[in-house]
Amino acid sequence: VQGDHWLEVTLPETSKLKEVTIYWASYGGSENTSQKLAVQVPADGGWRTVTESPEKGHPMYESTTLRFAPLEVSKFRVLQASGGGPPNRPDIMWIVEIEAR
């Protein structure tokens, strides 16, 4: 489906975070690594981007780690911009697991 995709995570308590690792689905021996990602936190009734993937995307690995300056949050989301999925299927976001530290 075309359009932005996201996964919102609500933590059990406010925690200090400095990175989010996204583990991607593998299908037919190929990783489904999204290419246009951002980590966002709530701000002023909306969302504020704290880090994003490089402009040219990144390699097709089983996971992607996005780092940012440490901050206290109770929730965050991983946003994939419209058409920012894997090169072979740009309109999907296929996450298996997320690790936040």
Side-chain angles (χ1 to χ4, degrees):
V1 175
Q2 290 183 335
D4 292 346
H5 299 284
W6 64 88
L7 181 96
E8 186 175 320
V9 176
T10 301
L11 303 170
E13 59 187 39
T14 299
S15 301
K16 184 179 273 189
L17 295 183
K18 62 180 180 177
E19 68 182 37
V20 173
T21 300
I22 303 111
Y23 295 89
W24 305 106
S26 180
Y27 181 75
S30 168
E31 303 302 332
N32 287 287
T33 307
S34 292
Q35 298 296 295
K36 294 180 187 173
L37 296 170
V39 174
Q40 299 182 319
V41 297
D44 301 323
W47 294 93
R48 175 176 64 92
T49 298
V50 295
T51 189
E52 55 192 342
S53 58
E55 188 71 29
K56 293 183 179 181
H58 44 273
M60 301 297 285
Y61 292 140
E62 67 180 38
S63 67
T64 300
T65 299
L66 298 173
R67 293 177 179 87
F68 44 92
L71 48 100
E72 296 276 336
V73 297
S74 60
K75 67 180 176 176
F76 67 92
R77 77 177 184 174
V78 175
L79 172 72
Q80 173 188 288
S82 181
N88 59 333
R89 296 183 73 188
D91 295 319
I92 67 163
M93 183 168 136
W94 201 353
I95 294 173
V96 173
E97 182 178 342
I98 289 186
E99 181 179 9
R101 293 182 276 221

